[in-house]
Coordinates of all heavy atoms in Angstrom, one line a residue:
M1009 N 0.8 -1.2 0.0 CA 0.0 0.0 0.0 C 0.9 1.3 0.0 O 0.6 2.2 -0.7 CB -0.9 0.0 1.2 CG -1.9 1.1 1.3 SD -2.9 1.1 -0.1 CE -4.4 1.8 0.5
R1010 N 1.9 1.2 0.8 CA 2.8 2.4 0.9 C 3.5 2.6 -0.5 O 3.7 3.8 -0.9 CB 3.9 2.1 1.9 CG 4.4 3.3 2.6 CD 5.4 3.0 3.6 NE 4.9 2.7 4.9 CZ 5.5 2.3 6.0 NH1 6.9 2.2 5.9 NH2 5.0 2.1 7.1
R1011 N 3.8 1.6 -1.2 CA 4.4 1.8 -2.6 C 3.4 2.4 -3.5 O 3.8 3.3 -4.3 CB 4.9 0.4 -3.1 CG 6.1 -0.1 -2.5 CD 6.5 -1.4 -3.2 NE 7.5 -2.0 -2.4 CZ 8.0 -3.2 -2.7 NH1 7.5 -3.9 -3.7 NH2 9.0 -3.7 -2.0
V1012 N 2.2 2.0 -3.5 CA 1.2 2.6 -4.4 C 1.0 4.1 -4.1 O 1.0 4.9 -5.0 CB -0.2 1.9 -4.2 CG1 -1.3 2.6 -5.0 CG2 -0.1 0.4 -4.7
F1013 N 1.0 4.4 -2.8 CA 0.9 5.8 -2.4 C 2.1 6.6 -2.9 O 2.0 7.7 -3.4 CB 0.7 6.0 -0.9 CG 0.7 7.4 -0.4 CD1 -0.4 8.2 -0.7 CD2 1.8 8.0 0.2 CE1 -0.5 9.5 -0.3 CE2 1.8 9.3 0.6 CZ 0.6 10.1 0.4
A1014 N 3.3 6.1 -2.7 CA 4.5 6.8 -3.1 C 4.5 6.9 -4.6 O 4.9 8.0 -5.1 CB 5.7 6.0 -2.6
L1015 N 4.1 5.9 -5.3 CA 4.1 6.0 -6.8 C 3.1 7.0 -7.3 O 3.4 7.9 -8.1 CB 3.8 4.6 -7.4 CG 3.8 4.6 -8.9 CD1 5.1 5.0 -9.5 CD2 3.4 3.2 -9.4
T1016 N 1.9 7.0 -6.6 CA 0.9 8.0 -7.0 C 1.4 9.4 -6.7 O 1.2 10.3 -7.5 CB -0.4 7.7 -6.2 OG1 -0.8 6.4 -6.5 CG2 -1.5 8.7 -6.6
L1017 N 2.0 9.6 -5.6 CA 2.6 10.9 -5.2 C 3.6 11.4 -6.2 O 3.6 12.5 -6.7 CB 3.1 10.9 -3.8 CG 3.7 12.2 -3.2 CD1 2.6 13.3 -3.2 CD2 4.3 12.0 -1.9
L1018 N 4.5 10.5 -6.5 CA 5.6 10.8 -7.5 C 5.0 11.1 -8.8 O 5.5 12.1 -9.4 CB 6.6 9.6 -7.6 CG 7.7 9.7 -8.6 CD1 8.6 10.9 -8.1 CD2 8.5 8.4 -8.7
L1019 N 4.1 10.4 -9.3 CA 3.5 10.7 -10.6 C 2.8 12.0 -10.6 O 2.8 12.8 -11.6 CB 2.6 9.6 -11.1 CG 3.3 8.2 -11.5 CD1 2.2 7.2 -11.8 CD2 4.2 8.4 -12.7
G1020 N 2.1 12.3 -9.5 CA 1.4 13.6 -9.4 C 2.3 14.7 -9.4 O 2.1 15.7 -10.1
V1021 N 3.4 14.6 -8.7 CA 4.4 15.7 -8.7 C 5.1 15.8 -10.0 O 5.3 16.9 -10.5 CB 5.4 15.5 -7.6 CG1 6.6 16.4 -7.7 CG2 4.8 15.6 -6.2
S1022 N 5.4 14.7 -10.7 CA 6.0 14.8 -12.0 C 5.1 15.4 -13.0 O 5.6 16.3 -13.8 CB 6.4 13.4 -12.5 OG 7.3 12.8 -11.6
G1023 N 3.9 15.1 -13.0 CA 2.9 15.7 -13.9 C 2.9 17.2 -13.7 O 2.8 18.0 -14.7
T1024 N 2.9 17.6 -12.5 CA 2.8 19.1 -12.2 C 4.1 19.7 -12.7 O 4.0 20.8 -13.3 CB 2.7 19.3 -10.7 OG1 1.5 18.7 -10.3 CG2 2.6 20.8 -10.4
A1025 N 5.2 19.1 -12.5 CA 6.5 19.7 -12.9 C 6.5 19.8 -14.5 O 7.0 20.8 -15.0 CB 7.7 18.9 -12.4
L1026 N 6.1 18.8 -15.1 CA 6.1 18.8 -16.6 C 5.2 19.8 -17.2 O 5.4 20.3 -18.3 CB 5.7 17.4 -17.1 CG 6.8 16.3 -16.9 CD1 6.2 15.0 -17.4 CD2 8.1 16.6 -17.6
A1027 N 4.1 20.2 -16.5 CA 3.2 21.2 -17.0 C 3.8 22.5 -17.2 O 3.3 23.4 -17.9 CB 2.0 21.3 -16.0
H1028 N 5.0 22.7 -16.5 CA 5.7 24.0 -16.6 C 6.8 24.0 -17.6 O 7.4 25.0 -17.8 CB 6.2 24.4 -15.2 CG 5.1 24.6 -14.2 ND1 4.3 25.7 -14.3 CD2 4.7 23.9 -13.2 CE1 3.4 25.7 -13.3 NE2 3.7 24.6 -12.6
D1029 N 7.1 22.9 -18.3 CA 8.1 22.9 -19.3 C 7.6 23.8 -20.5 O 6.4 23.9 -20.7 CB 8.3 21.5 -19.9 CG 9.1 20.6 -18.9 OD1 9.7 21.1 -18.0 OD2 9.1 19.4 -19.2
I1030 N 8.6 24.4 -21.1 CA 8.2 25.3 -22.2 C 9.0 24.9 -23.5 O 10.1 24.3 -23.4 CB 8.4 26.8 -22.0 CG1 9.9 27.1 -21.7 CG2 7.6 27.3 -20.8 CD1 10.2 28.6 -21.5
A1031 N 8.4 25.2 -24.6 CA 9.0 24.9 -25.9 C 9.0 26.3 -26.7 O 8.1 27.0 -26.6 CB 8.2 23.9 -26.7
V1032 N 10.1 26.5 -27.4 CA 10.3 27.7 -28.2 C 10.8 27.3 -29.5 O 11.7 26.5 -29.7 CB 11.3 28.6 -27.5 CG1 11.6 29.9 -28.3 CG2 10.9 29.1 -26.1
W1033 N 10.2 27.9 -30.5 CA 10.8 27.8 -31.9 C 10.8 29.1 -32.6 O 10.1 30.0 -32.3 CB 10.1 26.7 -32.7 CG 8.7 26.9 -33.0 CD1 8.2 27.4 -34.1 CD2 7.6 26.5 -32.2 NE1 6.8 27.5 -34.1 CE2 6.4 26.9 -32.9 CE3 7.4 25.9 -31.0 CZ2 5.1 26.6 -32.5 CZ3 6.1 25.6 -30.5 CH2 5.0 26.0 -31.3
A1034 N 11.7 29.1 -33.6 CA 11.9 30.4 -34.3 C 12.0 30.0 -35.8 O 12.6 29.0 -36.1 CB 13.1 31.1 -33.8
E1035 N 11.5 30.9 -36.6 CA 11.7 30.7 -38.1 C 11.8 32.1 -38.7 O 11.3 33.1 -38.2 CB 10.6 29.9 -38.7 CG 9.2 30.6 -38.6 CD 8.1 29.8 -39.2 OE1 8.4 29.0 -40.1 OE2 6.9 29.9 -38.8
V1036 N 12.4 32.2 -39.9 CA 12.6 33.4 -40.6 C 11.4 33.5 -41.6 O 11.2 32.6 -42.4 CB 13.9 33.5 -41.3 CG1 14.0 34.8 -42.1 CG2 15.1 33.4 -40.3
V1037 N 10.6 34.6 -41.5 CA 9.5 34.8 -42.4 C 9.6 36.2 -43.0 O 9.6 37.2 -42.2 CB 8.2 34.6 -41.6 CG1 7.0 34.9 -42.5 CG2 8.0 33.3 -40.9
K1038 N 9.8 36.2 -44.3 CA 9.9 37.5 -45.0 C 10.9 38.4 -44.4 O 10.7 39.6 -44.2 CB 8.5 38.2 -45.1 CG 7.5 37.4 -45.9 CD 6.2 38.2 -45.9 CE 5.2 37.3 -46.7 NZ 3.9 38.0 -46.8
G1039 N 12.1 37.8 -44.1 CA 13.2 38.6 -43.5 C 13.1 39.0 -42.1 O 14.0 39.6 -41.6
R1040 N 12.1 38.5 -41.4 CA 12.0 38.8 -39.9 C 12.0 37.5 -39.2 O 11.7 36.4 -39.8 CB 10.7 39.5 -39.6 CG 10.6 40.9 -40.3 CD 9.4 41.7 -39.9 NE 9.1 41.9 -38.5 CZ 9.7 42.9 -37.8 NH1 10.6 43.7 -38.4 NH2 9.4 43.1 -36.6
V1041 N 12.4 37.5 -37.9 CA 12.4 36.3 -37.1 C 11.1 36.2 -36.3 O 10.8 37.2 -35.6 CB 13.7 36.3 -36.2 CG1 13.6 35.0 -35.3 CG2 14.9 36.4 -37.0
H1042 N 10.4 35.1 -36.5 CA 9.2 34.9 -35.8 C 9.4 33.8 -34.7 O 9.8 32.7 -35.1 CB 8.1 34.5 -36.8 CG 6.8 34.2 -36.2 ND1 5.9 35.2 -35.9 CD2 6.2 33.0 -35.8 CE1 4.8 34.6 -35.3 NE2 5.0 33.3 -35.3
V1043 N 9.1 34.2 -33.5 CA 9.3 33.3 -32.3 C 8.0 33.0 -31.7 O 7.2 33.9 -31.5 CB 10.3 33.9 -31.3 CG1 10.5 33.0 -30.1 CG2 11.6 34.3 -32.0
E1044 N 7.8 31.7 -31.3 CA 6.6 31.3 -30.5 C 7.0 30.5 -29.4 O 7.9 29.6 -29.5 CB 5.6 30.5 -31.4 CG 5.0 31.4 -32.5 CD 3.9 30.6 -33.3 OE1 3.3 29.7 -32.7 OE2 3.7 31.0 -34.4
A1045 N 6.4 30.7 -28.2 CA 6.7 30.0 -27.0 C 5.4 29.5 -26.4 O 4.4 30.2 -26.2 CB 7.4 30.9 -26.0
Y1046 N 5.5 28.2 -26.0 CA 4.3 27.5 -25.4 C 4.7 26.6 -24.2 O 5.8 26.1 -24.2 CB 3.6 26.6 -26.5 CG 2.9 27.4 -27.5 CD1 3.5 27.8 -28.7 CD2 1.6 27.9 -27.3 CE1 2.9 28.5 -29.7 CE2 1.0 28.7 -28.3 CZ 1.6 29.0 -29.4 OH 1.0 29.7 -30.4
F1047 N 3.8 26.5 -23.3 CA 4.0 25.6 -22.2 C 3.6 24.2 -22.7 O 3.0 24.1 -23.8 CB 3.0 25.9 -21.0 CG 3.5 27.1 -20.2 CD1 2.8 28.3 -20.3 CD2 4.6 27.1 -19.4 CE1 3.2 29.4 -19.6 CE2 5.0 28.2 -18.7 CZ 4.3 29.4 -18.8
S1048 N 4.0 23.1 -22.0 CA 3.8 21.8 -22.5 C 2.3 21.5 -22.6 O 2.0 20.6 -23.4 CB 4.5 20.8 -21.6 OG 4.0 20.9 -20.2
D1049 N 1.5 22.2 -21.9 CA 0.0 21.9 -22.1 C -0.6 22.7 -23.3 O -1.8 22.6 -23.5 CB -0.7 22.3 -20.8 CG -0.7 23.8 -20.5 OD1 -0.1 24.6 -21.3 OD2 -1.3 24.2 -19.5
G1050 N 0.3 23.4 -24.0 CA -0.2 24.1 -25.2 C -0.6 25.6 -25.0 O -0.8 26.3 -26.0
S1051 N -0.6 26.0 -23.8 CA -0.9 27.4 -23.5 C 0.3 28.3 -23.8 O 1.4 27.9 -23.7 CB -1.4 27.6 -22.1 OG -0.4 27.3 -21.2
P1052 N 0.0 29.5 -24.3 CA 1.1 30.4 -24.7 C 1.9 30.9 -23.5 O 1.3 31.1 -22.4 CB 0.5 31.6 -25.4 CG -0.9 31.5 -24.9 CD -1.3 30.1 -24.6
V1053 N 3.2 31.1 -23.7 CA 4.1 31.7 -22.7 C 4.1 33.2 -22.9 O 4.9 33.7 -23.7 CB 5.5 31.1 -22.7 CG1 6.4 31.7 -21.6 CG2 5.5 29.6 -22.6
G1054 N 3.1 33.9 -22.4 CA 2.9 35.3 -22.7 C 3.5 36.2 -21.7 O 3.6 35.9 -20.5
D1055 N 3.9 37.4 -22.2 CA 4.4 38.5 -21.4 C 5.6 38.1 -20.6 O 5.7 38.4 -19.4 CB 3.3 39.1 -20.6 CG 2.1 39.6 -21.4 OD1 2.3 40.2 -22.4 OD2 1.0 39.2 -21.0
V1056 N 6.6 37.4 -21.2 CA 7.8 37.1 -20.5 C 9.0 37.6 -21.3 O 8.9 37.8 -22.5 CB 7.9 35.5 -20.3 CG1 6.8 35.0 -19.4 CG2 7.9 34.8 -21.6
P1057 N 10.2 37.7 -20.7 CA 11.4 38.2 -21.3 C 11.9 37.3 -22.4 O 11.9 36.1 -22.3 CB 12.4 38.4 -20.2 CG 11.6 38.3 -18.9 CD 10.4 37.5 -19.2
V1058 N 12.4 37.9 -23.5 CA 13.1 37.3 -24.6 C 14.5 37.9 -24.7 O 14.6 39.2 -24.7 CB 12.3 37.4 -25.9 CG1 13.1 36.7 -27.0 CG2 10.9 36.8 -25.7
E1059 N 15.5 37.1 -24.9 CA 16.8 37.6 -25.1 C 17.4 37.0 -26.4 O 17.3 35.8 -26.6 CB 17.7 37.2 -24.0 CG 19.2 37.6 -24.1 CD 20.0 37.1 -22.9 OE1 19.9 37.8 -21.8 OE2 20.7 36.1 -23.1
V1060 N 17.9 37.9 -27.3 CA 18.5 37.4 -28.5 C 20.0 37.7 -28.5 O 20.4 38.8 -28.2 CB 17.9 38.2 -29.7 CG1 18.5 37.8 -31.0 CG2 16.4 38.0 -29.8
A1061 N 20.8 36.6 -28.6 CA 22.2 36.8 -28.5 C 22.9 36.2 -29.8 O 22.3 35.3 -30.5 CB 22.7 36.0 -27.3
N1062 N 24.2 36.6 -30.0 CA 24.9 36.0 -31.1 C 25.6 34.7 -30.6 O 25.5 34.4 -29.5 CB 25.9 37.0 -31.7 CG 27.0 37.5 -30.8 OD1 27.2 36.9 -29.7 ND2 27.6 38.6 -31.2
A1063 N 26.4 34.1 -31.5 CA 27.1 32.9 -31.2 C 28.1 33.0 -30.0 O 28.4 32.1 -29.3 CB 27.8 32.3 -32.4
E1064 N 28.6 34.3 -29.8 CA 29.6 34.5 -28.8 C 28.9 34.8 -27.4 O 29.5 35.0 -26.4 CB 30.5 35.7 -29.1 CG 31.5 35.4 -30.3 CD 30.8 35.4 -31.6 OE1 29.9 36.2 -31.9 OE2 31.2 34.5 -32.5
G1065 N 27.6 34.9 -27.5 CA 26.8 35.1 -26.2 C 26.5 36.6 -26.0 O 25.9 37.0 -25.0
K1066 N 26.9 37.5 -26.9 CA 26.7 38.9 -26.7 C 25.2 39.2 -27.0 O 24.6 38.8 -28.1 CB 27.5 39.7 -27.7 CG 27.2 41.2 -27.6 CD 28.0 42.0 -28.6 CE 27.7 43.5 -28.5 NZ 28.3 44.3 -29.6
V1067 N 24.5 39.8 -26.1 CA 23.1 40.1 -26.2 C 22.9 41.2 -27.2 O 23.5 42.3 -27.1 CB 22.5 40.5 -24.8 CG1 21.0 40.9 -25.0 CG2 22.6 39.4 -23.8
L1068 N 22.1 40.9 -28.3 CA 21.9 41.9 -29.3 C 20.5 42.6 -29.2 O 20.4 43.7 -29.7 CB 22.0 41.2 -30.7 CG 23.2 40.4 -31.0 CD1 23.1 39.7 -32.3 CD2 24.4 41.4 -31.0
L1069 N 19.6 41.9 -28.5 CA 18.2 42.5 -28.5 C 17.5 41.9 -27.3 O 17.7 40.7 -27.0 CB 17.5 42.1 -29.8 CG 16.1 42.5 -30.0 CD1 16.0 44.0 -30.1 CD2 15.5 41.9 -31.2
L1070 N 16.7 42.7 -26.6 CA 15.9 42.3 -25.5 C 14.4 42.6 -25.8 O 14.2 43.6 -26.5 CB 16.3 42.9 -24.2 CG 17.6 42.6 -23.7 CD1 18.0 43.5 -22.5 CD2 17.7 41.2 -23.2
G1071 N 13.5 41.8 -25.4 CA 12.1 42.1 -25.6 C 11.2 41.2 -24.8 O 11.7 40.6 -23.8
H1072 N 9.9 41.1 -25.1 CA 9.0 40.3 -24.4 C 8.0 39.7 -25.4 O 7.7 40.3 -26.4 CB 8.1 41.2 -23.4 CG 8.8 41.5 -22.2 ND1 9.8 42.5 -22.1 CD2 8.7 41.0 -20.9 CE1 10.2 42.6 -20.9 NE2 9.6 41.7 -20.1
T1073 N 7.6 38.5 -25.0 CA 6.5 37.8 -25.9 C 5.2 38.6 -25.6 O 5.1 39.2 -24.6 CB 6.3 36.4 -25.5 OG1 5.9 36.3 -24.1 CG2 7.5 35.5 -25.7
N1074 N 4.3 38.5 -26.6 CA 3.0 39.1 -26.4 C 2.1 38.1 -25.6 O 2.6 37.1 -25.2 CB 2.4 39.6 -27.7 CG 2.1 38.5 -28.7 OD1 2.0 37.3 -28.3 ND2 1.9 38.9 -29.9
A1075 N 0.9 38.5 -25.4 CA 0.0 37.6 -24.7 C -0.2 36.2 -25.4 O -0.6 35.3 -24.7 CB -1.4 38.3 -24.5
K1076 N 0.0 36.2 -26.7 CA -0.1 34.9 -27.4 C 1.2 34.1 -27.4 O 1.3 33.1 -28.2 CB -0.6 35.1 -28.8 CG -2.0 35.7 -28.8 CD -2.5 35.9 -30.2 CE -3.9 36.5 -30.2 NZ -4.4 36.7 -31.6
G1077 N 2.2 34.6 -26.7 CA 3.5 33.9 -26.7 C 4.4 34.1 -27.9 O 5.3 33.4 -28.2
V1078 N 4.1 35.2 -28.7 CA 4.8 35.5 -29.9 C 5.7 36.7 -29.7 O 5.4 37.7 -29.0 CB 3.8 35.8 -31.0 CG1 4.5 36.3 -32.3 CG2 2.9 34.6 -31.3
F1079 N 6.9 36.6 -30.3 CA 7.9 37.7 -30.4 C 8.4 37.7 -31.8 O 8.9 36.7 -32.3 CB 9.0 37.5 -29.4 CG 10.0 38.6 -29.4 CD1 9.7 39.8 -28.9 CD2 11.3 38.3 -29.7 CE1 10.7 40.9 -28.9 CE2 12.3 39.3 -29.7 CZ 12.0 40.6 -29.3
D1080 N 8.3 38.9 -32.5 CA 8.6 39.0 -33.9 C 9.6 40.2 -34.0 O 9.4 41.2 -33.4 CB 7.4 39.3 -34.7 CG 7.6 39.3 -36.2 OD1 7.8 38.2 -36.7 OD2 7.7 40.3 -36.8
F1081 N 10.7 40.0 -34.7 CA 11.7 41.1 -34.8 C 12.5 41.0 -36.1 O 12.7 40.0 -36.7 CB 12.6 41.1 -33.6 CG 13.5 39.8 -33.5 CD1 14.8 39.8 -33.9 CD2 13.0 38.6 -32.9 CE1 15.6 38.7 -33.9 CE2 13.8 37.5 -32.8 CZ 15.1 37.6 -33.3
A1082 N 13.0 42.2 -36.4 CA 14.0 42.2 -37.5 C 15.3 41.9 -36.9 O 15.7 42.4 -35.9 CB 14.1 43.7 -38.1
P1083 N 16.1 40.9 -37.5 CA 17.4 40.5 -36.9 C 18.3 41.7 -36.8 O 18.5 42.5 -37.8 CB 17.9 39.5 -37.9 CG 16.9 39.4 -39.0 CD 15.8 40.3 -38.8
P1084 N 18.9 41.9 -35.7 CA 19.9 43.0 -35.5 C 21.2 42.9 -36.3 O 21.9 43.8 -36.4 CB 20.1 43.0 -34.0 CG 19.8 41.6 -33.5 CD 18.8 41.1 -34.5
A1085 N 21.5 41.6 -36.7 CA 22.7 41.4 -37.5 C 22.5 40.1 -38.3 O 21.7 39.2 -37.9 CB 23.9 41.3 -36.5
R1086 N 23.2 39.9 -39.3 CA 23.2 38.7 -40.1 C 24.2 37.7 -39.5 O 25.3 37.5 -40.1 CB 23.4 38.9 -41.6 CG 22.3 39.6 -42.2 CD 22.5 39.8 -43.7 NE 21.3 40.5 -44.2 CZ 21.3 41.2 -45.3 NH1 22.5 41.4 -46.0 NH2 20.3 41.8 -45.7
T1087 N 23.9 37.1 -38.4 CA 24.7 36.2 -37.7 C 23.9 35.1 -37.0 O 22.6 35.3 -36.9 CB 25.5 37.0 -36.6 OG1 26.4 36.1 -35.9 CG2 24.6 37.6 -35.5
A1088 N 24.5 34.0 -36.6 CA 23.7 33.0 -35.9 C 23.1 33.6 -34.7 O 23.8 34.4 -34.0 CB 24.6 31.8 -35.6
L1089 N 21.8 33.3 -34.4 CA 21.2 33.8 -33.2 C 20.7 32.7 -32.3 O 20.3 31.7 -32.7 CB 19.9 34.7 -33.7 CG 20.2 35.8 -34.6 CD1 18.9 36.4 -35.1 CD2 21.0 36.9 -33.9
T1090 N 20.8 33.0 -31.0 CA 20.2 32.2 -30.0 C 19.1 33.0 -29.3 O 19.4 34.1 -28.8 CB 21.3 31.7 -29.0 OG1 22.3 31.0 -29.6 CG2 20.6 30.9 -27.9
I1091 N 17.9 32.5 -29.3 CA 16.8 33.2 -28.7 C 16.3 32.4 -27.5 O 16.0 31.3 -27.6 CB 15.6 33.3 -29.8 CG1 16.1 34.0 -31.0 CG2 14.4 33.9 -29.1 CD1 15.9 33.3 -32.3
S1092 N 16.4 33.1 -26.4 CA 16.0 32.5 -25.1 C 14.8 33.1 -24.5 O 14.7 34.4 -24.5 CB 17.2 32.7 -24.1 OG 18.4 32.0 -24.5
V1093 N 13.9 32.3 -24.1 CA 12.6 32.8 -23.5 C 12.6 32.2 -22.0 O 12.8 31.0 -21.8 CB 11.4 32.2 -24.2 CG1 10.1 32.6 -23.5 CG2 11.4 32.7 -25.6
S1094 N 12.4 33.1 -21.1 CA 12.4 32.8 -19.7 C 11.1 33.0 -19.0 O 10.6 34.1 -19.0 CB 13.5 33.6 -18.9 OG 13.5 33.3 -17.5
A1095 N 10.5 31.9 -18.6 CA 9.1 31.9 -18.0 C 9.2 32.0 -16.4 O 8.2 31.8 -15.8 CB 8.3 30.7 -18.4
G1096 N 10.4 32.2 -15.9 CA 10.6 32.3 -14.5 C 10.8 30.9 -13.8 O 10.6 29.9 -14.5
D1097 N 11.2 30.9 -12.6 CA 11.4 29.7 -11.8 C 12.3 28.7 -12.5 O 12.1 27.5 -12.5 CB 10.0 29.0 -11.5 CG 9.2 29.8 -10.5 OD1 9.8 30.5 -9.7 OD2 8.0 29.8 -10.6
G1098 N 13.2 29.2 -13.3 CA 14.2 28.3 -14.0 C 13.7 27.7 -15.3 O 14.3 26.9 -15.9
H1099 N 12.5 28.1 -15.7 CA 11.9 27.6 -16.9 C 12.3 28.4 -18.1 O 11.7 29.4 -18.4 CB 10.4 27.5 -16.8 CG 9.9 26.7 -15.7 ND1 10.0 25.3 -15.6 CD2 9.3 27.0 -14.5 CE1 9.6 24.9 -14.5 NE2 9.1 25.9 -13.8
T1100 N 13.4 28.0 -18.8 CA 13.9 28.7 -19.9 C 14.1 27.7 -21.1 O 14.5 26.6 -20.9 CB 15.3 29.3 -19.5 OG1 15.1 30.2 -18.4 CG2 15.9 30.1 -20.7
A1101 N 13.8 28.2 -22.2 CA 14.0 27.4 -23.4 C 14.7 28.3 -24.5 O 14.5 29.5 -24.5 CB 12.7 26.8 -23.9
T1102 N 15.4 27.7 -25.4 CA 16.1 28.4 -26.5 C 15.7 27.8 -27.8 O 15.4 26.7 -28.0 CB 17.6 28.4 -26.3 OG1 18.0 27.0 -26.3 CG2 18.0 29.0 -25.0
A1103 N 15.9 28.7 -28.8 CA 15.7 28.3 -30.2 C 16.9 29.0 -30.9 O 17.5 30.0 -30.5 CB 14.4 28.8 -30.8
H1104 N 17.3 28.4 -32.1 CA 18.5 28.9 -32.8 C 18.1 29.2 -34.2 O 17.3 28.5 -34.8 CB 19.6 27.9 -32.8 CG 20.0 27.5 -31.4 ND1 20.9 28.3 -30.7 CD2 19.7 26.5 -30.6 CE1 21.1 27.7 -29.5 NE2 20.3 26.7 -29.4
V1105 N 18.7 30.3 -34.8 CA 18.5 30.6 -36.2 C 19.9 30.7 -36.8 O 20.8 31.3 -36.2 CB 17.8 32.0 -36.3 CG1 17.8 32.4 -37.8 CG2 16.4 31.9 -35.8
K1106 N 20.1 30.0 -37.9 CA 21.4 30.0 -38.5 C 21.6 31.3 -39.3 O 20.6 31.8 -39.9 CB 21.5 28.8 -39.5 CG 21.4 27.5 -38.8 CD 21.5 26.3 -39.8 CE 21.3 25.0 -39.2 NZ 21.2 23.9 -40.2
A1107 N 22.8 31.7 -39.4 CA 23.2 32.9 -40.1 C 22.7 32.8 -41.6 O 22.2 33.8 -42.1 CB 24.7 33.2 -40.1
E1108 N 22.9 31.7 -42.2 CA 22.5 31.6 -43.6 C 21.0 31.7 -43.8 O 20.5 32.0 -44.9 CB 23.0 30.3 -44.3 CG 22.6 29.0 -43.5 CD 23.6 28.5 -42.5 OE1 24.5 29.3 -42.0 OE2 23.6 27.3 -42.2
D1109 N 20.2 31.4 -42.8 CA 18.7 31.6 -42.9 C 18.3 33.1 -42.9 O 17.2 33.4 -43.2 CB 18.0 30.9 -41.7 CG 18.2 29.4 -41.8 OD1 18.5 28.9 -42.9 OD2 18.0 28.7 -40.8
L1110 N 19.3 33.9 -42.6 CA 19.0 35.4 -42.5 C 19.5 36.1 -43.8 O 19.5 37.3 -43.8 CB 19.7 36.0 -41.3 CG 19.2 35.5 -39.9 CD1 20.1 36.0 -38.8 CD2 17.7 35.8 -39.7
K1111 N 19.8 35.4 -44.8 CA 20.4 36.0 -46.0 C 19.4 37.1 -46.6 O 19.9 38.0 -47.2 CB 20.7 34.9 -47.1 CG 19.5 34.2 -47.6 CD 19.9 33.1 -48.6 CE 18.7 32.4 -49.0 NZ 18.8 31.1 -49.4
D1112 N 18.1 36.9 -46.5 CA 17.2 37.9 -47.0 C 16.6 38.8 -46.0 O 15.6 39.5 -46.2 CB 16.0 37.1 -47.7 CG 16.5 36.3 -48.9 OD1 17.4 36.8 -49.6 OD2 15.9 35.2 -49.1
A1113 N 17.3 38.8 -44.8 CA 16.8 39.6 -43.7 C 17.0 41.1 -44.0 O 17.9 41.5 -44.7 CB 17.5 39.2 -42.4
E1114 N 16.1 41.9 -43.3 CA 16.2 43.3 -43.4 C 17.5 43.8 -42.7 O 18.0 43.1 -41.9 CB 15.1 44.0 -42.7 CG 13.7 43.6 -43.2 CD 12.6 44.1 -42.3 OE1 12.9 44.7 -41.3 OE2 11.4 43.9 -42.7
K1115 N 18.1 44.9 -43.2 CA 19.3 45.4 -42.5 C 18.9 46.4 -41.5 O 17.9 47.0 -41.5 CB 20.2 46.1 -43.5 CG 20.9 45.2 -44.4 CD 22.0 45.9 -45.2 CE 22.9 44.9 -45.8 NZ 24.0 45.6 -46.5

């Protein structure tokens, strides 16, 4: 009986922890970088900080997702980009854009 309770408790806590995982992806659309962030349950990661850095880790741009979990921007440079979204409590996810994907990006 104790094992069943412990297993139930463990699964309940794991499910709760997983509900806070986030996923972020980015793509280049018409020369702009379009970023979307969602929690594992499909709800948007809205109104949270976004950091855009180059391959050396230098921060090039700061912003926030909108209420729908979207952040859209003109790339600050034609270089590989790492886009990090932080939902707090250590819940951070990143997406990457290759420099060659920015060949048609705005200057």
Side-chain angles (χ1 to χ4, degrees):
M1009 182 63 146
R1010 214 181 269 179
R1011 286 185 191 172
V1012 171
F1013 176 73
L1015 182 59
T1016 303
L1017 181 62
L1018 178 63
L1019 290 175
V1021 170
S1022 295
T1024 301
L1026 289 176
H1028 295 289
D1029 286 346
I1030 62 175
V1032 175
W1033 65 91
E1035 63 181 332
V1036 180
V1037 179
K1038 297 182 181 179
R1040 295 181 62 81
V1041 180
H1042 178 80
V1043 179
E1044 294 187 23
Y1046 289 92
F1047 287 106
S1048 59
D1049 67 359
S1051 62
V1053 181
D1055 303 315
V1056 298
V1058 178
E1059 179 181 282
V1060 179
N1062 64 14
E1064 291 77 37
K1066 179 182 177 188
V1067 176
L1068 303 176
L1069 181 67
L1070 296 172
H1072 281 79
T1073 59
N1074 66 17
K1076 294 181 180 180
V1078 173
F1079 181 66
D1080 188 74
F1081 64 97
R1086 289 185 181 153
T1087 184
L1089 301 173
T1090 298
I1091 299 125
S1092 300
V1093 176
S1094 178
D1097 294 327
H1099 301 292
T1100 301
T1102 59
H1104 302 277
V1105 174
K1106 296 177 184 176
E1108 57 264 24
D1109 292 340
L1110 299 172
K1111 65 182 179 210
D1112 296 325
E1114 301 171 358
K1115 282 190 171 184

